[in-house]
Structure formats: C-alpha cells, structure tokens
Amino acid sequence: MDTIEYLTGQFHEFPQDSIDRGLDILRQDAFNAFNTMGIPGMKHEEWKYTRINKLFNTDYSLSADPADHSVSTSDLGPYRLPGNKDANELFFINGRFAFDLSVIQSAGLQVLPISTAYNGEHRDVIAENLSHSSRYLKDGINALNTAFLQHGVFIQVGRGLILEHPVYIYNITDARTANIFSQPRSLVNINEGAQVQMVETFITFGMNESFTNQVMEVVVQQDAVVEYYKIQNDASHTNQVSTTHFRQTAKSYVHTVTISLNGGIVRNNLNMVMDAEHCESHLYGLYFQQGKSHIDNHTIVDNAMPNCLSNEFYKGILDGNSSGVFNGKIFVQRDAQKTNAYQSNKNVLLSEEASVNTKPQLEIFADDVKCSHGCTVGRLDEEGLFYLRSRGISEKIARSLLLHGFVVDILDKIRLAVIRNYADQLISERLEFDIS
Amino acid sequence: MLKIQNLQAGIEGRTILKGINLEIKAGEVHAIMGPNGSGKSTLASVIAGKTDYEVTEGRIEFMGKDLLDMLPEKRAGEGLFLGFQYPVEIPGLSTTNFIKTAVNELRKYRGEEPLDAVAFLRLMKEKMALMDIQQPLLSRSLNEGFSGGEKKRNEIFQMAMLQPKLAILDETDSGLDIDAIRIVANGVNKLRSKDNAVLLITHYQRLLDFIIPDFVHVLYNGRIVKSGTKELALELELKGYDFIKNDLNIAETV
C-alpha cells in the first residue's frame, strides 16, 4: 500500500480525546497542512540536497496501539549510554513513550502524556509552545509529526531545580519484524531557573528499514540553563529527520552539541528562537560520515529580541561516498539590536567521491549588530601529514592524529564527561586510534 | 653514514638541485650555507622524503641503504631527523601525545617494546631540562600559537627525544634571538657523539660560533661550489656570497 494513503487511514483511526478539542484541532490543521504541502522534494529550497520522498516508497507500519511494543529491558542493555546508572532514562519505542521501561531518578523531572498534561495544569504552556516549530519549518514532514502527536509526551523540569542526574532520551526503533516509520514527539518545559543536561540518541533493532521523523520542542524559561547533546550513530539502513526546536525566554542559556557518525539519510533541524533579551546559545556540531551516509544539518537561529548572543560552530569529515549539507540561517529581526551572532562551518573531504554543500544564510534587519560567518571545504593538510611522518609516524596513524585533532575541540564542548569520552571513543574506533 | 651522489631534483618540472655530491660520516658536523634560492631547503626536503619533489638523477645512501626508495616514516625509523624551517601547526594534537607516538613508533620500527609511562616521563623531564622547555608548552597543541623561538626549541627537543643518527637542521637559527640560539646550540652540542652526525643548513655564520662544524659547504644554484672547514664560513661572513659568485664567473670564463 502507498505509505501516504496508509498514513491517512491511520490518522482517521486515532481517537480524539482532548476536552476542548485544542489538540484535535492542532492535529487536524497539521494533517491538512501535510496534505497540502506533501513530502518535501527537490523543489523545496530547504530540501534540495536531502531527498526523503523516496523513503515513502517503503511499506511501513505505524503501529496504532501505544502499549504495543515487544522490547524488554534486557534488549536495551547493550545500547544504553555510559553513565546510565546515574541518569534518568526516557525511552521512546517506535515513536511511543515507553513508561514501563523509562527510569526517572530525579524528583524534579516529570513525564506526562501530552493529552493528560494539556487537560490538566499545563494547558497554557502547551497551548503557547506546542508546534511552535511549525512557524519555522514549512514542510509536510514537520506537519506529519504534529498530525500524530496525540501519543507525544510533556516533559518538565521543576522551577529552580538543578537536576543532578542527566536526562538520557533514547529513540528506539524496533525493526526486527517489520519496516517501521516512527514519530517520537515531545514538548519539554524547563522551568524558571532550572538546570538540566540532556543526551539524546537513536537506536534501531533489526535489519528492516526504519524511518524516524522526530520532533522535540523545548521551552527554556527565564534564567534556565540547558545542555543538550545529540549522538547519532545508528545503522546505515536507518533514516531520520530529527527536529530539535528551542524557544528561549529571558536570560536563558542553551548549549548544544550534535554528533553525527552514521545512518542512512540523517536530517537534523536545530532551531534556536531567542524570544527575549539577554539569551545566550551555543550550537556545536560534528559529523563524520563514510559509506553512502548522508548528513544534513539545517540550523536556524532567530534573534527576535535585543542583546542576545549566539555562537555556532560545526565541523565535518566526509569519507567514501558520503555527502553532507550544512545550512545555517541566522535571522536578526528589526528589534534585535546589539545582537552578536557568529557562525562557522569547516569541512574535510577524505575522498574524491565525498561531497558537502555548505551555505550560510544571514538575514539581518537590525543595524547595530555584530555578525560573522565563514565556511571552508578542504583536504587533509599535506604539510601536517609530512611533518608527522618525518618523525617516524606511519601515514595511517598520522592521518588519524590529524583527523582526531580536527574534531577534538568540538568533542571538548561536551561538558558531560562520560558522554564526551563515549563520543571520543566512537570516533577513535573509527580512526583505529588509541586515545589513551 | 650519508652518501649523496649526483643528486638532481626539482619541483613541477623546474630543476633545483643540479648534481649534489656530499658524504657525511658518523661523528661529523657539516654546515651547508648559501644564498636564498640556492636549493638548501630543497636538499633537506628531498633527504627527508617530501613527495612534492621529484628526483630525476642520482642516489642517496643512508647507513648503507637506498634512502630514495623509503617512505618518510621509514627514513625516520632508520635514524634520520629533519628539523623544519617552518614547523607545522597541528591543532588538537598535544605535543606530548605527538612525541610519545613518535617515540613508540620508532621503537616499534626497531623491534623494541614501547616505553611505559614512567620511562617516557623520565626521558621527557631530562630533555625538557636540556632545552629549557616547560610542561605547559608540551600540553598545548603542537606548535599552535608557539612563538618562533618556541617552535625551534621544540624541534630540537623532538630531536633530543627521538635520538636520531643524522639530524638535518634546516635554518633552525632563523628568526631566533641570541639567547634562543644559545639554547638551541647547547641542545645540539649536548647530543653530539661519535655515533651520530649533524647537517646544519643556515644563512649565517652566527650559529656556527656555537656549533662548530667540521666541514662547511657552499651551495649555489643547485650545486656545492666550494667546501672547506669552519674558516670558510668566516670568509663568507666577511665577503658575502658575491665572492663565490665572482670566483665562479672567473672559472666559467677561463
């Protein structure tokens, strides 16, 4: 069956459940938008280099029953991130939040089904922020997630709380028996003055095809501090569009590092909406791809209000037949005077077949701002290689040392030591290089 | 130790070295001097194995083996060291990790066990004192943001750590103040022995006040046009390179 036809059928099957129908209207509007816009193809400016429409030619099963997963704690064992004993662990299985598997250690951390939260005390914050990302992502793929958001979750960190335990979020696709299309959805509310470290990763079980279309929206309230790390190292037969949308309110601080090491087609949308004065955000990224992998990092920084600082630095290594895209949009709105916005993207191509398209896109409507951008695409430094080899270091090890040196400054932006070391280990293994 | 015969080499079709003959024996210090563009750095690069250069004629023997057949890392394994005129900056690789890797790769080449952490540290402390190098410098990314003097001292420090049989020092003195030259020269002198040799490449006689060479050669237009003892360097200092050029012109007209 045609996937889109199938999804339409599924959409109409889901019960409608919110009391004032607010969520239902949101879903219906999103579904209409999906029908109008469709799956973005090459003609869509933001999807020119990343073709996901062919993924919809696969027959997927979008499972209808929230309790319907057959993943046990022991299945998860080998995939849990280091440091998990000290972490809150939240599991999404095939796009559904698995309350049975998730472990919450911090008293200030709360996870509720989105409809429960909406029909309860969190209506205002949800009404204000749910689907905020659709204002920035005008395409059917974002709308498609929203159309199915009734099984999403509302995650919140209580006011003034400094979470001692980081929050690990696992997006698991169980493709052991069927092709799986999954759509994890969450709205995270980091309350005033709270501090949290979040780590997100993507794991697929089984060899069937999988396509994950994830949307996470995060509201960072006044004076809150968020560190957010995304580790993508899933198998090469898996594909994903992963949207992480931050909306910052006054004097909040967001620090993100996105590490993308493997996957089939991986598209990241990282949005940073600086919706109040004196916000600060840092967006770091590192992609290291090989084989036929495709990595696309689309970022949007929207400076809507004055006196904000954003700093963006992405680095990439592309080997084999892999391809990369970096698209960095920065808006500085008319009122956003005294904005500081910086952006840089550096790439190393290791083979003739590897390629990267990098595009800074600055749209500045205020006149008293400091903005800079730069991008480079090059090969491994031959002079450096000769220098190391002249000291007796074999070419292979010399290349590894140079490449490791190229990425280490981004790794060092991961402030959670176990995760920094884990990412370093993954990269060093690929470089066949001993980090000790 | 090193035997160069009729070496001709160039880059992008342009011949730079036009027949170099040079022999260096264990225990000797040689200096090659010459004006800009005479081919001094090309000679150093060709000996160390830089692939940008194409050798069209001649041979180089090192410790009885054909050097030109070897990869750069193998040449280092055999005991060759090049002190770079412009040491390369390597972001994200600490000097300590780099040297540790190099030391152990060379040991592996010689069939020796890698140095353990304690032995490595002991060796490092000893050589750091010799070159007046402090720990913070070694923890920084290799050569990145180093001053000219720090880069050159770091080159000699590497030489001290790697203990080569033949060290070629390419304009190690250029850009150094007198104190830095003294430290560099002192390092080189301490490492001299009857079993190893040094080839100094320099513009100026100044370095040779501190490191006394056994032989001085003048490289001009891709050839060694004059060889002598340390007095030749003094003569060059006094008269400049013009007297060599004049001598050559006379020789060519006769």
Side-chain angles (χ1 to χ4, degrees), chain A residues 71-99:
Chain A
V71 173
S72 68
T73 308
S74 62
D75 290 333
L76 300 172
Y79 299 98
R80 292 168 74 188
L81 293 168
N84 62 71
K85 286 195 173 56
D86 290 320
N88 299 289
E89 291 188 288
L90 309 183
F91 293 93
F92 288 86
I93 311 285
N94 294 352
R96 305 301 163 75
F97 190 80
F99 284 94

mmCIF file of all heavy atoms in Angstrom, chain A residues 71-99:
data_model
loop_
_atom_site.group_PDB
_atom_site.id
_atom_site.type_symbol
_atom_site.label_atom_id
_atom_site.label_comp_id
_atom_site.label_asym_id
_atom_site.label_seq_id
_atom_site.Cartn_x
_atom_site.Cartn_y
_atom_site.Cartn_z
ATOM 1 N N VAL A 71 9.755 -4.769 23.398
ATOM 2 C CA VAL A 71 11.156 -4.553 23.784
ATOM 3 C C VAL A 71 11.266 -4.760 25.292
ATOM 4 O O VAL A 71 10.485 -4.214 26.059
ATOM 5 C CB VAL A 71 11.610 -3.122 23.404
ATOM 6 C CG1 VAL A 71 12.993 -2.829 23.951
ATOM 7 C CG2 VAL A 71 11.593 -2.940 21.890
ATOM 8 N N SER A 72 12.229 -5.575 25.683
ATOM 9 C CA SER A 72 12.417 -5.803 27.112
ATOM 10 C C SER A 72 13.644 -5.050 27.601
ATOM 11 O O SER A 72 14.467 -4.595 26.800
ATOM 12 C CB SER A 72 12.606 -7.297 27.372
ATOM 13 O OG SER A 72 13.845 -7.689 26.804
ATOM 14 N N THR A 73 13.745 -4.924 28.901
ATOM 15 C CA THR A 73 14.890 -4.226 29.490
ATOM 16 C C THR A 73 16.204 -4.878 29.054
ATOM 17 O O THR A 73 17.188 -4.190 28.816
ATOM 18 C CB THR A 73 14.779 -4.239 31.024
ATOM 19 O OG1 THR A 73 13.489 -3.740 31.355
ATOM 20 C CG2 THR A 73 15.829 -3.357 31.670
ATOM 21 N N SER A 74 16.171 -6.207 28.906
ATOM 22 C CA SER A 74 17.423 -6.874 28.527
ATOM 23 C C SER A 74 17.800 -6.577 27.065
ATOM 24 O O SER A 74 18.980 -6.554 26.717
ATOM 25 C CB SER A 74 17.336 -8.374 28.772
ATOM 26 O OG SER A 74 16.322 -8.932 27.971
ATOM 27 N N ASP A 75 16.786 -6.311 26.212
ATOM 28 C CA ASP A 75 17.095 -5.897 24.831
ATOM 29 C C ASP A 75 17.875 -4.585 24.825
ATOM 30 O O ASP A 75 18.707 -4.334 23.962
ATOM 31 C CB ASP A 75 15.798 -5.648 24.026
ATOM 32 C CG ASP A 75 15.038 -6.935 23.733
ATOM 33 O OD1 ASP A 75 15.696 -7.995 23.676
ATOM 34 O OD2 ASP A 75 13.812 -6.873 23.556
ATOM 35 N N LEU A 76 17.541 -3.737 25.799
ATOM 36 C CA LEU A 76 18.131 -2.392 25.824
ATOM 37 C C LEU A 76 19.572 -2.397 26.305
ATOM 38 O O LEU A 76 20.359 -1.526 25.937
ATOM 39 C CB LEU A 76 17.307 -1.484 26.747
ATOM 40 C CG LEU A 76 15.841 -1.288 26.376
ATOM 41 C CD1 LEU A 76 15.127 -0.531 27.490
ATOM 42 C CD2 LEU A 76 15.729 -0.522 25.069
ATOM 43 N N GLY A 77 19.878 -3.421 27.127
ATOM 44 C CA GLY A 77 21.167 -3.480 27.821
ATOM 45 C C GLY A 77 22.354 -2.943 27.046
ATOM 46 O O GLY A 77 22.952 -1.926 27.442
ATOM 47 N N PRO A 78 22.678 -3.571 25.907
ATOM 48 C CA PRO A 78 23.911 -3.174 25.215
ATOM 49 C C PRO A 78 23.866 -1.789 24.599
ATOM 50 O O PRO A 78 24.899 -1.266 24.174
ATOM 51 C CB PRO A 78 24.064 -4.240 24.122
ATOM 52 C CG PRO A 78 22.807 -5.008 24.078
ATOM 53 C CD PRO A 78 21.985 -4.686 25.273
ATOM 54 N N TYR A 79 22.668 -1.212 24.513
ATOM 55 C CA TYR A 79 22.549 0.076 23.818
ATOM 56 C C TYR A 79 22.499 1.264 24.755
ATOM 57 O O TYR A 79 22.450 2.402 24.320
ATOM 58 C CB TYR A 79 21.288 0.066 22.940
ATOM 59 C CG TYR A 79 21.341 -1.007 21.890
ATOM 60 C CD1 TYR A 79 20.702 -2.232 22.078
ATOM 61 C CD2 TYR A 79 22.081 -0.817 20.723
ATOM 62 C CE1 TYR A 79 20.779 -3.227 21.115
ATOM 63 C CE2 TYR A 79 22.167 -1.805 19.757
ATOM 64 C CZ TYR A 79 21.510 -3.012 19.961
ATOM 65 O OH TYR A 79 21.596 -3.991 19.024
ATOM 66 N N ARG A 80 22.456 0.967 26.050
ATOM 67 C CA ARG A 80 22.336 2.094 26.984
ATOM 68 C C ARG A 80 23.648 2.867 27.033
ATOM 69 O O ARG A 80 24.730 2.287 26.954
ATOM 70 C CB ARG A 80 21.918 1.566 28.353
ATOM 71 C CG ARG A 80 20.489 1.011 28.291
ATOM 72 C CD ARG A 80 20.122 0.236 29.510
ATOM 73 N NE ARG A 80 19.872 1.112 30.645
ATOM 74 C CZ ARG A 80 19.684 0.652 31.873
ATOM 75 N NH1 ARG A 80 19.731 -0.651 32.111
ATOM 76 N NH2 ARG A 80 19.454 1.487 32.854
ATOM 77 N N LEU A 81 23.529 4.152 27.148
ATOM 78 C CA LEU A 81 24.713 5.011 27.110
ATOM 79 C C LEU A 81 25.503 4.897 28.404
ATOM 80 O O LEU A 81 24.931 4.620 29.465
ATOM 81 C CB LEU A 81 24.281 6.470 26.908
ATOM 82 C CG LEU A 81 23.639 6.807 25.564
ATOM 83 C CD1 LEU A 81 22.994 8.196 25.625
ATOM 84 C CD2 LEU A 81 24.678 6.762 24.451
ATOM 85 N N PRO A 82 26.810 5.102 28.327
ATOM 86 C CA PRO A 82 27.605 5.070 29.557
ATOM 87 C C PRO A 82 27.105 6.134 30.543
ATOM 88 O O PRO A 82 26.622 7.187 30.131
ATOM 89 C CB PRO A 82 29.026 5.380 29.087
ATOM 90 C CG PRO A 82 28.900 5.879 27.697
ATOM 91 C CD PRO A 82 27.614 5.368 27.135
ATOM 92 N N GLY A 83 27.220 5.822 31.793
ATOM 93 C CA GLY A 83 26.749 6.741 32.821
ATOM 94 C C GLY A 83 25.269 6.579 33.104
ATOM 95 O O GLY A 83 24.665 7.364 33.840
ATOM 96 N N ASN A 84 24.627 5.522 32.507
ATOM 97 C CA ASN A 84 23.171 5.395 32.632
ATOM 98 C C ASN A 84 22.709 5.148 34.063
ATOM 99 O O ASN A 84 21.587 5.474 34.416
ATOM 100 C CB ASN A 84 22.643 4.316 31.677
ATOM 101 C CG ASN A 84 23.215 2.948 31.988
ATOM 102 O OD1 ASN A 84 22.870 2.339 32.999
ATOM 103 N ND2 ASN A 84 24.114 2.465 31.139
ATOM 104 N N LYS A 85 23.585 4.569 34.887
ATOM 105 C CA LYS A 85 23.166 4.304 36.277
ATOM 106 C C LYS A 85 22.883 5.588 37.039
ATOM 107 O O LYS A 85 22.093 5.606 37.976
ATOM 108 C CB LYS A 85 24.247 3.492 37.002
ATOM 109 C CG LYS A 85 24.258 2.045 36.547
ATOM 110 C CD LYS A 85 25.057 1.159 37.482
ATOM 111 C CE LYS A 85 24.895 -0.298 37.078
ATOM 112 N NZ LYS A 85 25.295 -0.502 35.645
ATOM 113 N N ASP A 86 23.546 6.668 36.607
ATOM 114 C CA ASP A 86 23.337 7.958 37.268
ATOM 115 C C ASP A 86 22.399 8.858 36.484
ATOM 116 O O ASP A 86 22.353 10.060 36.723
ATOM 117 C CB ASP A 86 24.684 8.683 37.424
ATOM 118 C CG ASP A 86 25.556 7.977 38.442
ATOM 119 O OD1 ASP A 86 25.010 7.531 39.463
ATOM 120 O OD2 ASP A 86 26.770 7.856 38.193
ATOM 121 N N ALA A 87 21.694 8.280 35.515
ATOM 122 C CA ALA A 87 20.893 9.127 34.635
ATOM 123 C C ALA A 87 19.413 8.789 34.740
ATOM 124 O O ALA A 87 19.044 7.673 35.086
ATOM 125 C CB ALA A 87 21.352 8.954 33.191
ATOM 126 N N ASN A 88 18.586 9.773 34.431
ATOM 127 C CA ASN A 88 17.183 9.499 34.141
ATOM 128 C C ASN A 88 17.164 8.952 32.722
ATOM 129 O O ASN A 88 17.797 9.515 31.831
ATOM 130 C CB ASN A 88 16.372 10.790 34.183
ATOM 131 C CG ASN A 88 16.423 11.435 35.559
ATOM 132 O OD1 ASN A 88 15.840 10.930 36.505
ATOM 133 N ND2 ASN A 88 17.156 12.545 35.670
ATOM 134 N N GLU A 89 16.456 7.857 32.515
ATOM 135 C CA GLU A 89 16.436 7.288 31.164
ATOM 136 C C GLU A 89 15.014 7.249 30.632
ATOM 137 O O GLU A 89 14.134 6.617 31.208
ATOM 138 C CB GLU A 89 17.027 5.877 31.172
ATOM 139 C CG GLU A 89 18.533 5.878 31.448
ATOM 140 C CD GLU A 89 19.127 4.492 31.249
ATOM 141 O OE1 GLU A 89 18.877 3.614 32.086
ATOM 142 O OE2 GLU A 89 19.826 4.304 30.231
ATOM 143 N N LEU A 90 14.819 7.944 29.522
ATOM 144 C CA LEU A 90 13.497 8.002 28.900
ATOM 145 C C LEU A 90 13.566 7.264 27.566
ATOM 146 O O LEU A 90 14.440 7.544 26.749
ATOM 147 C CB LEU A 90 13.089 9.460 28.666
ATOM 148 C CG LEU A 90 13.195 10.408 29.875
ATOM 149 C CD1 LEU A 90 12.684 11.802 29.490
ATOM 150 C CD2 LEU A 90 12.409 9.874 31.074
ATOM 151 N N PHE A 91 12.648 6.310 27.389
ATOM 152 C CA PHE A 91 12.671 5.516 26.163
ATOM 153 C C PHE A 91 11.436 5.767 25.322
ATOM 154 O O PHE A 91 10.305 5.679 25.812
ATOM 155 C CB PHE A 91 12.730 4.015 26.503
ATOM 156 C CG PHE A 91 14.031 3.605 27.145
ATOM 157 C CD1 PHE A 91 14.155 3.575 28.527
ATOM 158 C CD2 PHE A 91 15.125 3.269 26.361
ATOM 159 C CE1 PHE A 91 15.366 3.206 29.121
ATOM 160 C CE2 PHE A 91 16.330 2.902 26.949
ATOM 161 C CZ PHE A 91 16.447 2.864 28.332
ATOM 162 N N PHE A 92 11.660 6.060 24.061
ATOM 163 C CA PHE A 92 10.591 6.032 23.071
ATOM 164 C C PHE A 92 10.806 4.771 22.247
ATOM 165 O O PHE A 92 11.920 4.518 21.778
ATOM 166 C CB PHE A 92 10.674 7.238 22.124
ATOM 167 C CG PHE A 92 10.280 8.546 22.748
ATOM 168 C CD1 PHE A 92 11.222 9.301 23.453
ATOM 169 C CD2 PHE A 92 8.999 9.036 22.609
ATOM 170 C CE1 PHE A 92 10.869 10.523 24.011
ATOM 171 C CE2 PHE A 92 8.644 10.260 23.164
ATOM 172 C CZ PHE A 92 9.580 11.009 23.876
ATOM 173 N N ILE A 93 9.749 3.964 22.102
ATOM 174 C CA ILE A 93 9.860 2.786 21.242
ATOM 175 C C ILE A 93 8.925 2.999 20.060
ATOM 176 O O ILE A 93 7.720 3.194 20.246
ATOM 177 C CB ILE A 93 9.446 1.484 21.980
ATOM 178 C CG1 ILE A 93 10.128 1.362 23.348
ATOM 179 C CG2 ILE A 93 9.710 0.265 21.093
ATOM 180 C CD1 ILE A 93 11.568 0.993 23.347
ATOM 181 N N ASN A 94 9.460 2.939 18.886
ATOM 182 C CA ASN A 94 8.683 3.161 17.656
ATOM 183 C C ASN A 94 7.817 4.418 17.746
ATOM 184 O O ASN A 94 6.696 4.457 17.277
ATOM 185 C CB ASN A 94 7.813 1.940 17.339
ATOM 186 C CG ASN A 94 8.674 0.731 16.990
ATOM 187 O OD1 ASN A 94 9.885 0.863 16.845
ATOM 188 N ND2 ASN A 94 8.056 -0.425 16.861
ATOM 189 N N GLY A 95 8.363 5.414 18.392
ATOM 190 C CA GLY A 95 7.682 6.704 18.444
ATOM 191 C C GLY A 95 6.764 6.897 19.635
ATOM 192 O O GLY A 95 6.232 7.984 19.837
ATOM 193 N N ARG A 96 6.563 5.837 20.433
ATOM 194 C CA ARG A 96 5.702 5.946 21.615
ATOM 195 C C ARG A 96 6.569 5.992 22.855
ATOM 196 O O ARG A 96 7.541 5.245 22.953
ATOM 197 C CB ARG A 96 4.765 4.737 21.727
ATOM 198 C CG ARG A 96 3.964 4.505 20.522
ATOM 199 C CD ARG A 96 3.116 5.763 20.228
ATOM 200 N NE ARG A 96 2.631 5.715 18.857
ATOM 201 C CZ ARG A 96 1.650 4.929 18.468
ATOM 202 N NH1 ARG A 96 1.066 4.131 19.329
ATOM 203 N NH2 ARG A 96 1.256 4.910 17.217
ATOM 204 N N PHE A 97 6.157 6.823 23.776
ATOM 205 C CA PHE A 97 6.907 6.869 25.020
ATOM 206 C C PHE A 97 6.626 5.607 25.821
ATOM 207 O O PHE A 97 5.479 5.223 26.023
ATOM 208 C CB PHE A 97 6.529 8.104 25.838
ATOM 209 C CG PHE A 97 7.442 8.307 27.004
ATOM 210 C CD1 PHE A 97 8.682 8.892 26.822
ATOM 211 C CD2 PHE A 97 7.084 7.878 28.270
ATOM 212 C CE1 PHE A 97 9.545 9.061 27.895
ATOM 213 C CE2 PHE A 97 7.951 8.043 29.345
ATOM 214 C CZ PHE A 97 9.181 8.631 29.151
ATOM 215 N N ALA A 98 7.692 4.936 26.258
ATOM 216 C CA ALA A 98 7.538 3.677 26.998
ATOM 217 C C ALA A 98 7.657 3.953 28.490
ATOM 218 O O ALA A 98 8.758 3.977 29.046
ATOM 219 C CB ALA A 98 8.588 2.669 26.537
ATOM 220 N N PHE A 99 6.510 4.180 29.133
ATOM 221 C CA PHE A 99 6.522 4.463 30.578
ATOM 222 C C PHE A 99 7.051 3.259 31.358
ATOM 223 O O PHE A 99 7.675 3.409 32.402
ATOM 224 C CB PHE A 99 5.110 4.824 31.057
ATOM 225 C CG PHE A 99 4.698 6.217 30.673
ATOM 226 C CD1 PHE A 99 3.980 6.456 29.515
ATOM 227 C CD2 PHE A 99 5.055 7.302 31.468
ATOM 228 C CE1 PHE A 99 3.614 7.744 29.157
ATOM 229 C CE2 PHE A 99 4.689 8.598 31.113
ATOM 230 C CZ PHE A 99 3.970 8.819 29.947
#
